Amino acid sequence: RVLEPRLVDAEDDRLMLGYRTVNSGMTLAVGVDHVLDVASPHEVLLTADADDSELVLTVAAEPGVAIRMEKYVVYQTSRSRSVDELAERCHTALDRVLGDGFEALLATQRTCLDRFWDRADVTLEDTVRHPVRMQQAVRWNLFHLAQATWRAEGAGIPAKGLTGDAYDGHYFWDTETWVLPFLAYTQPRIARNLLRFRHSMLPSARVRARELDLRGALFPWRTIRGDEASASYQAGTAQFHLNADIAYAIRRYIDVRGDTGFLAETGGEILVETARVWHDLGFYGDDDCFHIHGVTGPDEYTAMVDDNAYTNLMARLNLNYAAVAMRRLADEQPDAFDRLAGDLALVPSELDDWDRAAARMFVPHDPGSGITPQDATFLSHERWDLEATPSQQFPLLLHHHPITIYRRQVLKQADVVMAMLLLGNEFTLEQKRRNFEYYDPITTGDSSLSASIQSVVASEIGDEEAACRYLDFALLMDLADVAGNATDGVHIASAAGGWMGLVFGFGGVRDFDGRLTIDPRLPARYRSLGFSLRFHDRQLRVRLAHRLERYELTEGDPLAVTIRGGRHTLVRGTALEIHRDRV
């Protein structure tokens, strides 16, 4: 039994049940009430026990006389409140909604939905696929993002949201790397709550770091309450990059919302503890470079390698940003910094150590080909011939031993290409083109996380065909059952990736150090693209077509934004229109 019954109460038309989970000790209460509109003679019998409950309505039904029942259900959960407290909250909520009536409840829901779509909707006119169906596909993915994230208070977002039990409800890096960018630009309050949830895992992350003889805090690769739940350390805990992904998400949230106060609240503590892991995990080699060995990058088909490029680049960002953020906090909020430094025994020399490690971070580079090797030895491996691999042998991991895969040049998902999206300022356009053209033919797409990333980078290097093809994969991952596992639930990260492909890819939106830039790359296949951005508490509407681009600030103070390399200041009431020759 997972739930221990603690409360059973059935009175009149109202049912109240309360439970406590066996292992975690969480509490749950559910209240149900009924409003009956029955003109004919009738009887109501409500019965309940710990395992079953029912309301039986017996009516002397008459032809033409309506029988109407409204059923209201309220849930309350907590990690610290008693079942009785939660039950009282359920009673209060039911009393309120019954007093207001169904129409008031419906109006509130409509208001919330309108607010979501006002900020999150993306309009798309497709000339190749059925235009209505593609627009429906976009909104279908957005709707599932709303379903998965709307009440993410004090909890994370499972890889399948609330749509299926695959992955056992566990959280991965999907939240910080795919879902949070969408939320930062559309629902920043929820983005902040998700980062607070990660912060609640710090005690367990510190324990995990100690188990691996590391300072700081090591967040679990796969978890539901803070403990590592991965069954394979090679493709699980060895993905140390999750620490840096969380640090990156903190920076993105602060840059997009302008919420520097988050550093003092929870963000700074995470940055310090994750930076400590990197400094302890890496070492200085004979070349005086800082190396990180024995890790797995985003590509799980290449495990336990030295100097994975993505990991090293993201670790460098983590170290750099942690030092910058702490100095910023010391300057702007000295009292908060002193409290944090005291709690964490943080000394100024640590910041200098992080600076040096970041400056000396080793990043693989192959001068002959001009590409960024995925890791120190990746290019020396035999190349897997994907074109000669029968389609029924995908995903590879289900048909080949992991060691067979690890010894080849073959990718489950974008790795270096992922780094080029998150850290685009670290690569020249030519480097991005060379890397994409090298890794794309050996990327299987066995992971649903990959297509959206490949679409964005393909857009940036001008490969419209690949950008559109990969965007289709992301948007239709579940609608077309691309991976053959739609029965397991919706791929929430792929749904968010569809938004990224449209806004970051075709829309060309980027945010670096709190500065918003837009460099649109609308493919010829599409007539127009429209989307909204929430940035520094301003609301920006963007409408792109091949001959006319329109940028309008509808809420907030004037906003400085770089559009196609030119600096503009947008003000409410005056839309910026850019006329272009069709390209």
Side-chain angles (χ1 to χ4, degrees):
R1 181 187 287 268
V2 176
L3 298 175
E4 296 176 340
R6 292 300 178 93
L7 172 67
V8 179
D9 184 20
E11 185 176 354
D12 297 327
D13 296 332
R14 181 171 293 187
L15 169 69
M16 192 66 62
L17 302 173
Y19 301 89
R20 181 181 182 276
T21 58
V22 173
N23 293 324
S24 66
M26 291 182 65
T27 49
L28 163 70
V30 54
V32 185
D33 209 329
H34 307 79
V35 175
L36 303 175
D37 183 2
V38 186
S40 304
H42 64 279
E43 294 182 354
V44 177
L45 178 63
L46 176 63
T47 60
D49 58 36
D51 298 312
D52 195 15
S53 60
E54 66 177 15
L55 181 143
V56 178
L57 172 63
T58 305
V59 183
E62 303 174 33
V65 179
I67 301 171
R68 178 183 175 88
M69 175 189 288
E70 292 178 358
K71 189 183 192 81
Y72 298 89
V73 183
V74 175
Y75 292 90
Q76 292 281 348
T77 64
S78 177
R79 298 178 185 273
S80 58
R81 304 289 182 179
S82 70
V83 167
D84 289 340
E85 289 178 276
L86 298 186
E88 188 59 36
R89 291 182 180 183
C90 287
H91 280 300
T92 300
L94 286 170
D95 290 343
R96 184 180 69 251
V97 73
L98 265 64
D100 293 341
F102 178 74
E103 292 303 321
L105 182 64
L106 188 64
T108 300
Q109 176 76 352
R110 181 73 267 167
T111 299
C112 291
L113 281 170
D114 287 345
R115 180 181 176 85
F116 170 80
W117 288 112
D118 178 63
R119 293 187 175 186
D121 194 19
V122 178
T123 59
L124 185 67
E125 288 186 276
D126 194 341
T127 63
V128 175
R129 290 185 178 270
H130 193 291
V132 174
R133 290 180 181 176
M134 286 306 291
Q135 182 64 75
Q136 287 177 325
V138 171
R139 288 176 174 154
W140 185 90
N141 282 279
L142 292 173
F143 173 74
H144 277 288
L145 287 171
Q147 291 276 74
T149 63
W150 215 325
R151 296 309 303 266
E153 288 109 351
I157 299 174
K160 296 295 184 180
L162 303 176
T163 65
D165 57 6
Y167 300 117
D168 303 312
H170 289 158
Y171 320 125
F172 299 79
W173 68 320
D174 305 25
T175 297
E176 284 80 14
T177 317
W178 277 265
V179 180
L180 192 134
F182 163 78
L183 293 173
Y185 276 111
T186 61
Q187 309 287 324
R189 178 188 62 82
I190 301 177
R192 184 185 181 111
N193 285 340
L194 289 173
L195 293 173
R196 285 171 171 165
F197 170 70
R198 276 295 187 187
H199 179 265
S200 73
M201 293 181 175
L202 260 178
S204 296
R206 289 184 173 117
V207 171
R208 187 61 173 170
R210 298 294 88 75
E211 291 174 350
L212 273 66
D213 299 321
L214 295 169
R215 294 186 68 217
L218 179 61
F219 285 94
W221 171 246
R222 175 174 179 162
T223 190
I224 199 164
R225 65 175 187 175
D227 302 322
E228 177 63 79
S230 176
S232 166
Y233 75 87
Q234 298 97 326
T237 299
Q239 296 200 55
F240 289 89
H241 67 82
L242 179 71
N243 259 26
D245 301 328
I246 295 170
Y248 183 92
I250 292 171
R251 190 185 80 160
R252 163 155 271 160
Y253 166 76
I254 292 174
D255 283 352
V256 172
R257 195 175 190 187
D259 184 6
T260 57
F262 187 69
L263 288 174
E265 180 195 330
T266 53
E269 189 175 7
I270 295 177
L271 292 174
V272 168
E273 294 291 64
T274 52
R276 283 172 166 169
V277 165
W278 294 119
H279 191 260
D280 204 21
L281 181 64
F283 67 97
Y284 290 96
D286 294 337
D287 56 0
D288 197 33
C289 288
F290 194 77
H291 297 268
I292 300 175
H293 286 185
V295 303
T296 301
D299 169 34
E300 295 173 9
Y301 282 176
T302 312
M304 299 299 294
V305 300
D306 296 341
D307 289 321
N308 170 256
Y310 176 92
T311 301
N312 286 18
L313 285 165
M314 291 293 288
R316 180 165 72 184
L317 175 138
N318 195 164
L319 290 162
N320 262 330
Y321 186 58
V324 168
M326 289 304 97
R327 293 185 179 111
R328 179 180 183 179
L329 189 62
D331 289 340
E332 298 178 359
Q333 302 180 60
D335 291 343
F337 173 79
D338 289 342
R339 286 194 300 271
L340 182 62
D343 291 343
L344 299 179
L346 177 66
V347 295
S349 61
E350 274 194 89
L351 308 187
D352 297 333
D353 290 340
W354 300 343
D355 284 337
R356 180 170 181 259
R360 302 301 302 164
M361 184 69 68
F362 178 82
V363 179
H365 177 70
D366 182 58
S369 63
I371 71 166
T372 304
Q374 186 167 298
D375 57 69
T377 63
F378 185 81
L379 298 186
S380 66
H381 295 177
E382 179 184 357
R383 194 177 175 99
W384 191 296
D385 188 351
L386 289 181
E387 291 187 0
T389 304
S391 60
Q392 60 268 27
Q393 290 191 14
F394 293 93
L396 296 181
L397 195 59
L398 299 183
H399 302 278
H400 300 272
H401 195 283
I403 293 178
T404 301
I405 298 173
Y406 293 164
R407 292 187 292 109
R408 304 294 205 284
Q409 286 190 54
V410 62
L411 280 65
K412 181 181 180 182
Q413 68 189 69
D415 196 297
V416 170
V417 172
M418 182 81 187
M420 296 193 302
L421 169 59
L422 299 186
L423 302 169
N425 57 328
E426 303 270 0
F427 300 85
T428 67
L429 184 61
E430 180 58 26
Q431 286 175 322
K432 292 176 183 179
R433 183 176 292 107
R434 287 177 181 268
N435 284 331
F436 184 87
E437 291 175 352
Y438 185 86
Y439 289 106
D440 193 58
I442 55 174
T443 302
T444 62
D446 284 351
S447 168
S448 62
L449 299 175
S450 198
S452 58
I453 305 306
Q454 290 165 283
S455 178
V456 175
V457 176
S459 289
E460 190 169 0
I461 65 174
D463 189 342
E464 285 192 8
E465 186 279 329
C468 293
R469 171 163 44 89
Y470 285 125
L471 179 68
D472 284 351
F473 276 124
L475 290 176
L476 301 174
M477 183 63 63
D478 297 298
L479 287 172
D481 199 11
V482 172
N485 57 3
T487 54
D488 293 336
V490 173
H491 295 80
I492 298 301
S494 187
W499 180 90
M500 291 169 64
L502 292 166
V503 175
F504 293 168
F506 298 169
V509 172
R510 296 290 187 275
D511 51 85
F512 291 119
D513 298 326
R515 299 188 303 271
L516 180 64
T517 65
I518 305 177
D519 189 12
R521 303 175 186 89
L522 184 64
R525 164 180 161 179
Y526 297 98
R527 288 195 182 94
S528 68
L529 172 68
F531 55 89
S532 297
L533 300 172
R534 190 81 181 167
F535 191 81
H536 286 213
D537 290 328
R538 282 92 158 174
Q539 194 65 41
L540 175 63
R541 317 283 182 186
V542 180
R543 177 75 176 179
L544 305 174
H546 291 286
R547 294 190 182 278
L548 177 65
E549 298 174 2
R550 193 172 193 272
Y551 305 87
E552 183 179 10
L553 189 69
T554 59
E555 181 184 337
D557 296 331
L559 174 66
V561 57
T562 300
I563 301 173
R564 294 193 178 277
R567 295 284 290 174
H568 300 271
T569 299
L570 304 178
V571 296
R572 282 183 296 167
T574 304
L576 170 65
E577 293 188 345
I578 298 178
H579 297 265
R580 306 180 68 244
D581 292 333
R582 186 180 179 90
V583 292

